[in-house]
Amino acid sequence: MIRITTLLLLAAVFSTSTLYSQNQGQLAGKVTDIQGESLPGIAVMLQGSSQGAATQIDGRYKLTNIAPGRHKIVVSGVGLASQEVSVSIQA
């Protein structure tokens, strides 16, 4: 009986997170330098939140579960000037 209750509880949690994420958007891209070379380890942050990601070895990043609307993304790295980019997220 405990196992069934746990499974039902887990199913309810996953259902809620699925419903929640359906109303969210995502942002993915690639950070490069002026010559077009990939920049790994660059911070890509959603301004005003703790949500962010670091670019992979190929410069790619992905942010998920972003509320629809206009946002500012802050891109920064050691030894580089920070840049702000306005984006529009759709669900």
Side-chain angles (χ1 to χ4, degrees), residues 41-76:
I42 301 297
V44 181
M45 301 292 298
L46 185 64
Q47 190 175 48
S49 78
S50 60
Q51 200 170 0
T55 58
Q56 301 297 314
I57 192 86
D58 62 356
R60 295 189 185 280
Y61 66 91
K62 185 175 183 179
L63 300 173
T64 59
N65 295 324
I66 303 174
R70 302 238 358 118
H71 298 278
K72 284 194 178 186
I73 302 298
V74 179
V75 181
S76 61

Side-chain angles (χ1 to χ4, degrees), residues 4-74:
I4 294 172
T5 305
T6 304
L7 290 175
L8 289 175
L9 180 59
L10 287 175
V13 170
F14 287 128
S15 296
T16 304
S17 65
T18 301
L19 289 173
Y20 175 75
S21 65
Q22 288 177 348
N23 295 326
Q24 304 295 302
Q26 66 180 8
L27 177 68
K30 183 175 182 178
V31 178
T32 61
D33 64 13
I34 202 162
Q35 288 86 20
E37 295 292 320
S38 300
L39 294 176
I42 301 297
V44 181
M45 301 292 298
L46 185 64
Q47 190 175 48
S49 78
S50 60
Q51 200 170 0
T55 58
Q56 301 297 314
I57 192 86
D58 62 356
R60 295 189 185 280
Y61 66 91
K62 185 175 183 179
L63 300 173
T64 59
N65 295 324
I66 303 174
R70 302 238 358 118
H71 298 278
K72 284 194 178 186
I73 302 298
V74 179

